Amino acid sequence: MMHMLVVIAAGLGVVALILRLFSLQIRKYAAGEVCGSTARLDGKVALITGANSGIGKETALDLASRGARVILACRDVEKGEEAATEIRTRVGGAKVEVRELDLADTCSIRAFAQRFLREVDHLHILINNAGIMMCPYMKTADGFEMHIGVNHLGHFLLTYLLIGLLKRSAPSRIVVVSSLAHHFGWIRFHDLHSQGSYNSGLAYCQSKLANVLFTRELAHRLHGTNVTVNSVHPGTVRSELVRHSTAMSLLFAIFSMFLKTPKEGAQTSAYCAVAEELQSISGKHFSDCAPAFVAPQGRNEETARKLWDVSCELLGIEWD
């Protein structure tokens, strides 16, 4: 027994030494690619959901530094104002404002859009960034399971309500923040809201697959409008997203060296929002500022169309 403990301790020591010796190389690899575009966004308007922290805040900082008017759509307005103040401090003359938006409540989404359309004349960039991950079983104000309700249906409705303004502001872009987790997701049409059984990880994966399918179907429907839409995998990022999972929080703490910072995680969102070479690219998936592989279930056109129809039915809208 003592011999085994010595061997384990020695092995852990070797691993720790290797990690220390190669820490710079590991961090460089984990950081991923950087958005190299120098495009300016003067006179452009960008809307980012969930921009009070994490990659949303860093994406807002990036776009504001390019001269865009950036609107932070946040459930927690107080935290949103703190983020806006930080951005203004870091970027002289930054045009940043905060508006309340709760993606778990369709009444809040409709009220947000109504005010937005009344007060904002153009929208050139919409980044559907907000998300929830591995939370206990909860329902939105409208009775949707929280993952599919916030991550997919909330953004689906928001995009529907703003699509006319995006078309009138063209060329414009929509960026949908998905995840590598879509590879492990399946759309459970027979139990979309996990009422029969619930697994927080699988519910999250289903919602991220829904993001990819929504992107592909929306791109098809927007063909010829000069409005593009692409989805992104930001990477595995140190953020508040894992706050609902003790196990994930512990793993993230142990393997923090292998995780991206929020700034690093925001690079692909910024890339899809500003890169000149993507002006006419739509319906694609990106990671590390480059095209990324989509799981077979994320490329199924029949599933994408069915999810679109089901989403419209659940939200009580008609979107042809």
Side-chain angles (χ1 to χ4, degrees):
M1 182 67 178
M2 182 60 71
H3 177 70
M4 183 178 295
L5 291 175
V6 170
V7 171
I8 293 174
L12 290 174
V14 171
V15 171
L17 178 62
I18 292 174
L19 291 177
R20 186 176 182 83
L21 289 173
F22 294 97
S23 60
L24 291 178
Q25 292 88 337
I26 292 171
R27 276 301 308 137
K28 183 177 180 180
Y29 175 78
E33 296 299 320
V34 175
C35 175
S37 173
T38 59
R40 294 290 303 173
L41 296 174
D42 303 286
K44 303 295 185 181
V45 179
L47 170 63
I48 307 174
T49 66
N52 60 283
S53 64
I55 65 174
K57 182 173 72 173
E58 291 295 336
T59 304
L61 176 66
D62 182 286
L63 302 191
S65 70
R66 299 172 186 271
R69 174 189 177 190
V70 182
I71 299 165
L72 316 183
C74 307
R75 180 177 58 84
D76 190 325
V77 175
E78 184 177 347
K79 287 186 176 179
E81 291 292 355
E82 291 174 1
T85 299
E86 179 184 338
I87 293 171
R88 294 187 196 105
T89 300
R90 296 171 63 180
V91 179
K95 297 180 285 291
V96 187
E97 56 194 84
V98 180
R99 297 184 181 227
E100 184 176 4
L101 171 65
D102 185 355
L103 288 163
D105 184 348
T106 58
C107 288
S108 173
I109 299 169
R110 290 182 180 278
F112 170 89
Q114 185 177 36
R115 179 189 170 197
F116 190 93
L117 293 171
R118 186 171 62 246
E119 300 176 352
V120 182
D121 295 330
H122 297 89
L123 179 59
H124 305 95
I125 300 170
L126 169 63
I127 301 183
N128 291 333
N129 168 82
I132 192 166
M133 178 181 180
M134 297 182 70
C135 65
Y137 186 77
M138 294 186 288
K139 290 185 177 182
T140 68
D142 302 274
F144 307 140
E145 187 278 318
M146 191 62 71
H147 289 93
I148 199 73
V150 171
N151 297 353
H152 170 61
L153 291 170
H155 282 122
F156 189 102
L157 178 59
L158 178 66
T159 307
Y160 163 77
L161 294 171
L162 299 179
I163 198 66
L165 183 58
L166 284 159
K167 288 179 179 179
R168 293 192 297 273
S169 306
S172 54
R173 303 186 189 193
I174 304 169
V175 180
V176 180
V177 178
S178 180
S179 170
L180 184 69
H182 85 271
H183 284 263
F184 309 102
W186 297 93
I187 304 300
R188 302 171 73 241
F189 288 110
H190 67 285
D191 190 18
L192 196 64
H193 302 292
S194 305
Q195 294 175 310
S197 62
Y198 180 70
N199 178 288
S200 61
L202 293 179
Y204 175 72
C205 293
Q206 175 182 239
S207 71
K208 294 292 100 178
L209 174 60
N211 291 154
V212 172
L213 291 167
F214 168 59
T215 298
R216 295 175 72 87
E217 181 65 15
L218 180 57
H220 173 72
R221 292 167 184 260
L222 288 175
H223 181 73
T225 64
N226 213 10
V227 180
T228 63
V229 54
N230 293 293
S231 60
V232 306
H233 166 53
T236 307
V237 182
R238 292 197 298 272
S239 71
E240 297 178 0
L241 193 62
V242 297
R243 64 187 180 277
H244 293 291
S245 173
T246 302
M248 289 295 292
S249 297
L250 180 60
L251 286 173
F252 272 39
I254 294 173
F255 297 103
S256 61
M257 182 184 298
F258 298 92
L259 306 180
K260 290 185 177 183
T261 65
K263 180 178 180 179
E264 292 162 352
Q267 296 303 303
T268 305
S269 292
Y271 173 74
C272 287
V274 306
E276 298 90 334
E277 62 269 27
L278 299 186
Q279 185 172 347
S280 60
I281 302 299
S282 192
K284 304 301 181 183
H285 185 60
F286 290 83
S287 179
D288 279 331
C289 302
F293 180 76
V294 174
Q297 64 269 33
R299 291 180 265 123
N300 189 303
E301 293 184 4
E302 182 180 349
T303 303
R305 286 193 296 270
K306 184 175 180 180
L307 178 63
W308 185 280
D309 292 340
V310 169
S311 300
C312 287
E313 183 178 351
L314 288 170
L315 293 167
I317 60 176
E318 294 184 5
W319 191 359
D320 296 324

